[in-house]
Amino acid sequence: MTPRATRRTVLLASGAAALAAGCGSDGGNGGNGGDGRDGGGGGGGTSSDTAGQELIPTADVPVGGGTVLPDEKIVVTQPQEGDFKAFSAICTHQNCVVADVADGTVNCACHGSRFRITDGSVEQGPATRPLPAEPITVEGNSIRRA
Ligand code: FES
């Protein structure tokens, strides 16, 4: 399994919010305490030690929608056929894992924030910062961590 052939690297550097997902509490914490500041956790390397790991088959990501991978804390979207993007699934509001993808947005059930599947930007608050992009590669029919 060597990564040759057609290996597209999709690196979405949507600027600023590359940090965010520092803490590892996922459960249904709706956040009492915490008023929007990201705790500045000195998290470690997110993608380096898992590079190449298959996230999901391309066929499992609907065109015009996306799929939340709660274990990986990643949401993979396909705004247009063959155009795959990935973002952190940790809501930038108070760190809930987003719930689903519908009607062109990634939706957080905790307080109703919605993020666009095209670039992770905020469609509806209370979140004010976009979902950070996650680097992925598309190899054949698989989407993998870059
Ligand atoms: S954690 Fe509040 S909207 Fe997502």
Side-chain angles (χ1 to χ4, degrees):
M1 287 176 66
T2 52
R4 44 187 159 154
T6 36
R7 178 175 180 166
R8 290 187 297 164
T9 301
V10 182
L11 284 173
L12 299 175
S14 78
L19 317 167
C23 59
S25 58
D26 55 317
N29 58 345
N32 20 354
D35 52 16
R37 56 187 285 264
D38 38 341
T46 14
S47 53
S48 59
D49 49 349
T50 54
Q53 174 191 358
E54 181 175 20
L55 292 169
I56 189 171
T58 55
D60 288 357
V61 183
V63 177
T67 302
V68 178
L69 307 175
D71 291 342
E72 309 296 343
K73 296 187 174 54
I74 288 178
V75 55
V76 180
T77 67
Q78 187 178 187
Q80 296 180 1
E81 187 167 357
D83 179 23
F84 294 94
K85 300 178 183 297
F87 307 96
S88 166
I90 307 295
C91 180
T92 57
H93 178 230
Q94 289 184 357
N95 298 330
C96 287
V97 176
V98 297
D100 60 14
V101 181
D103 298 327
T105 56
V106 178
N107 307 311
C108 180
C110 285
H111 311 98
S113 290
R114 298 184 351 201
F115 305 87
R116 296 177 183 92
I117 62 171
T118 51
D119 60 3
S121 61
V122 175
E123 167 90 15
Q124 174 180 300
T128 58
R129 293 170 296 130
L131 295 175
E134 291 283 340
I136 56 171
T137 61
V138 181
E139 294 180 29
N141 295 323
S142 291
I143 297 173
R144 299 177 182 277
R145 287 184 189 269

